[in-house]
Amino acid sequence: QSALTQPASVSGSPGQSITISCTGTSSDVGGYNFVTWYQQHPGKAPKLMIYDVNKRPSGVSNRFSGSKSGNTASLTISGLQAEDEADYYCSSYTGSSTHVVFGGGTKVTAL
Amino acid sequence: EVQLVESGGGLVQPGGSLRLSCAASGFTFDTYWMHWVRQAPGKGLVWVSRINTDGSSTTYADSVRGRFTISRDNAENTLHLQMSSLRAEDTARYYCARGLGIRVFDVWGQGTMVTVSS
């Protein structure tokens, strides 16, 4: 069982906006502004998309945005495109000794 | 080009050992924390271990502590993961990842597959 809870799947029509949630506790998501999001296409390595809740690395489309409210973080994909179909994983800093926990992943489908 | 290339995976019997390596290029290796993250077939990402820039500090997930050892050779720009007492549940693709500190992984290798089975 993953430490952070994500929906198994989210879908939307091309051009629409979708939001993926990532729910933790006050010991991880809620306690720090250190939520990260990764994109993973089938058979590929994960790719960093968002860090520190809402910061985008250079080269990541501005269609991807992050936010947080309480113990739940969210990744929003605006103007959904076919190339956005992938698995998305959230992670958070945690006060435990390991310092990093992942969510179980969300499969995004463009209908 | 910033690149991480893992090697050393394969099929090993339960109780056996394996040493994974990760060759880094295109960046100043000894200024970055490095991590191993694994992914069992069809499952999610799980952080395994990390090492600081000079190798003096290491941390492990509870599931591998005492069985796995992370190390680095800054002269050779290489990260290692020595795995022993392997179990079926260690079967996964193991990714090497560059860390922005201890909590963000900004560059990933393509992974190397480890299968523990008799």
Side-chain angles (χ1 to χ4, degrees):
Chain A
Q1 186 175 359
S2 302
L4 305 180
T5 300
Q6 299 181 234
S9 63
V10 172
S11 60
S13 300
Q16 285 187 330
S17 293
I18 63 167
T19 298
I20 305 167
S21 62
C22 171
T23 301
T25 70
S26 58
S27 297
D28 38 65
V29 174
Y32 312 92
N33 288 324
F34 295 145
V35 176
T36 308
W37 290 91
Y38 301 93
Q39 175 193 64
Q40 186 179 33
H41 285 107
K44 301 295 186 181
K47 175 187 176 183
L48 175 64
M49 302 301 285
I50 296 286
Y51 67 99
D52 293 356
V53 176
N54 56 14
K55 296 177 181 176
R56 269 190 315 275
S58 175
V60 172
S61 171
N62 59 10
R63 297 187 298 103
F64 293 84
S65 61
S67 62
K68 193 190 85 167
S69 177
N71 295 336
T72 298
S74 298
L75 174 70
T76 297
I77 307 175
S78 304
L80 187 66
Q81 300 180 1
E83 67 200 49
D84 300 331
E85 287 198 331
D87 293 326
Y88 291 82
Y89 294 90
C90 65
S91 74
S92 176
Y93 178 84
T94 167
S96 73
S97 61
T98 58
H99 296 309
V100 176
V101 290
F102 281 99
T106 297
K107 182 177 183 62
V108 167
T109 303
L111 300 173
Chain B
E1 179 191 6
V2 174
Q3 196 170 13
L4 298 171
V5 178
E6 301 93 334
S7 60
L11 175 64
V12 61
Q13 293 187 340
S17 298
L18 211 56
R19 190 192 196 208
L20 307 183
S21 296
C22 170
S25 60
F27 65 98
T28 307
F29 182 68
D30 63 5
T31 64
Y32 287 88
W33 287 65
M34 295 298 296
H35 302 256
W36 288 99
V37 177
R38 70 184 181 184
Q39 185 172 34
K43 302 297 184 180
L45 301 171
V46 176
W47 175 83
V48 173
S49 181
R50 66 170 172 262
I51 188 168
N52 70 342
T53 55
D54 66 4
S56 62
S57 175
T58 59
T59 310
Y60 301 92
D62 290 345
S63 58
V64 307
R65 188 177 298 117
R67 300 187 299 121
F68 289 12
T69 301
I70 189 172
S71 63
R72 65 191 298 162
D73 183 339
N74 286 343
E76 296 291 331
N77 293 341
T78 304
L79 176 72
H80 299 287
L81 186 68
Q82 178 67 48
M83 305 185 295
S84 61
S85 302
L86 283 162
R87 308 165 180 167
E89 53 265 36
D90 295 319
T91 294
R93 178 166 291 275
Y94 285 74
Y95 292 99
C96 160
R98 188 177 80 171
L100 296 181
I102 63 174
R103 53 183 178 76
V104 177
F105 315 126
D106 70 332
V107 179
W108 297 66
Q110 85 289 350
T112 187
M113 187 67 202
V114 172
T115 303
V116 184
S117 174
S118 55

